[in-house]
Amino acid sequence: MTHSRATRLVVRLLVGSAVILGATGPAAAAPAPPPALPGYAPAEEFRWSVQPSSPRGPNGRNEFAYELNPEEKITDWVAVSNLTGKPLTVNVYATDAFTAPDGGFALLTADEPATGVGSWVTLPKKSYTVPAGKRADVPFELAVPANASPGDHIGGVIASVNTEERQEDGQTVNVERRIAARIYLRVAGPVEPAALISALDVDYANPPLSLGGDMTVTYRIANDGNVRFSGKARVQVTGPFGIRVANSEVIDIPELLPDSELRLTQRFPGVFPAGLLTTTVTVNPEESGAPLPSLSRDSALWAVPWPLAAGLLLAGALLLGWWLRNRRWHRIVAAGGFDATPEAAPTVRPVAS
């Protein structure tokens, strides 16, 4: 960029009159605006909503959900409602979705090109000015290409507002605030759900003066199939003979999109070092409410109870020392001929003079 002042682009997703993808409508109460980013001057408040619509207005849908064949086209509408008292100019475009590392539903930024369902959406124009307190029902066309792969293709239709905000150091920051309605498209063809525990790492802190250490279990769940899934997970730690040492509550797996991976961490404080500890992660995925085959992965490590081991070694050393000393004493006694029972000494009686 050739500007006389430094500029940066900051994307704030889901800021405005709604804080979830697929806002339920302009009648919804607007939440309090989020705090400004550290070091940024607060911007003027913008409030708008985005939701699936029809030529005559919203029709009760919370998301765009389609089941289409390759080469099939469909026309739909998205409603952008201005909830402020002055005209609002918004940029409307579609893009692809992905699962964020924390499991959240995320969309590509405006400068990242869409290659999936976001690239299959065509809008009449890029920018719309919505009058104060009014709504714009924007049409769009979704055309599935002939070579589209079967399964789920996820994205969103976004309405964004770009503003410039000045930092405390005088630099200008370009901020994009975005609200979106989700697109769930399933292309006809073979459905192949596939969940995978792609990694499992166990870190155990075993202090030498403690009978309990903190254990951190980090694992990754990947979606190697062509449809999204969610489900449940559980982490369990067992010692010798299958004795349970630690156990997590049931963990909810958020919606995991195809070709995405989720990283989860479970911490167990004060795990007893029972020797060989086996950590097992079990995942029960579900696709559209139907259970998929369960899967699990194990990792084992040795955890020595140092205070107990030291106590046993000390007790063993003391017992061995006592036994060696007692054995040496018996050898000395036997070598000096003192091990036989002594005879009775003769009685000496004084003789009277």
Side-chain angles (χ1 to χ4, degrees):
M1 294 183 181
T2 57
H3 291 280
S4 60
R5 54 188 177 182
T7 59
R8 286 187 292 174
L9 175 64
V10 176
V11 177
R12 295 184 186 175
L13 180 61
L14 311 180
V15 177
S17 63
V19 293
I20 59 172
L21 292 171
T24 56
L37 296 177
Y40 291 74
E44 183 182 1
E45 182 180 1
F46 297 93
R47 296 187 300 119
W48 72 102
S49 67
V50 177
Q51 63 188 125
S53 186
S54 70
R56 294 173 298 277
N59 49 13
R61 293 178 295 168
N62 293 326
E63 61 196 24
F64 297 105
Y66 311 112
E67 293 187 8
L68 303 175
N69 297 308
E71 300 186 285
E72 189 173 353
K73 296 181 181 180
I74 188 172
T75 299
D76 211 333
W77 285 262
V78 59
V80 180
S81 299
N82 180 1
L83 306 181
T84 67
K86 61 181 180 179
L88 181 67
T89 299
V90 296
N91 300 318
V92 183
Y93 62 96
T95 192
D96 300 335
F98 63 95
T99 300
D102 62 355
F105 185 96
L107 295 166
L108 298 178
T109 57
D111 58 347
E112 296 178 283
T115 58
V117 67
S119 65
W120 306 343
V121 173
T122 303
L123 289 134
K125 57 182 183 178
K126 297 181 180 179
S127 180
Y128 294 85
T129 298
V130 186
K134 300 297 183 179
R135 183 189 70 240
D137 296 314
V138 179
F140 66 88
E141 181 183 80
L142 194 160
V144 183
N147 60 349
S149 60
D152 289 340
H153 299 266
I154 319 299
V157 179
I158 296 173
S160 68
V161 174
N162 294 332
T163 60
E164 287 189 353
E165 297 184 16
R166 186 179 297 276
Q167 292 180 285
E168 294 179 354
D169 59 5
Q171 290 186 332
T172 299
V173 179
N174 294 324
V175 178
E176 181 188 23
R177 293 174 171 82
R178 311 194 303 175
I179 302 177
R182 302 187 187 190
I183 298 176
Y184 289 103
L185 167 65
R186 175 162 294 186
V187 177
V191 173
E192 299 175 353
L196 173 68
I197 302 176
S198 57
L200 172 59
D201 180 68
V202 181
D203 180 45
Y204 180 62
N206 192 6
L209 300 179
S210 175
L211 284 176
D214 294 339
M215 176 178 286
T216 302
V217 181
T218 303
Y219 56 102
R220 296 178 182 272
I221 303 174
N223 186 346
D224 282 354
N226 62 358
V227 292
R228 56 195 168 104
F229 68 80
S230 57
K232 307 288 184 181
R234 184 186 290 272
V235 181
Q236 182 174 285
V237 182
T238 56
F241 311 107
I243 299 175
R244 184 177 301 176
V245 178
N247 188 53
S248 74
E249 301 293 334
V250 175
I251 302 163
D252 290 325
I253 302 173
E255 184 179 75
L256 194 59
L257 306 184
D259 297 325
S260 295
E261 189 176 58
L262 175 64
R263 181 178 181 270
L264 297 171
T265 300
Q266 180 68 47
R267 292 179 175 85
F268 297 106
V271 176
F272 179 75
L276 183 63
L277 298 181
T278 301
T279 302
T280 303
V281 175
T282 303
V283 176
N284 296 312
E286 298 179 355
E287 190 272 317
S288 299
L292 300 175
S294 179
L295 58 151
S296 64
R297 183 165 176 170
D298 298 334
S299 179
L301 56 82
W302 283 96
V304 180
W306 295 114
L308 181 60
L312 292 176
L313 287 175
L314 179 60
L318 293 175
L319 182 61
L320 179 61
W322 174 85
W323 180 78
L324 291 175
R325 183 177 181 182
N326 188 57
R327 184 179 180 185
R328 183 171 177 270
W329 169 255
H330 280 289
R331 286 180 178 178
I332 293 174
V333 170
F338 301 113
D339 55 344
T341 303
E343 296 180 358
T347 303
V348 178
R349 295 180 180 180
V351 178
S353 59

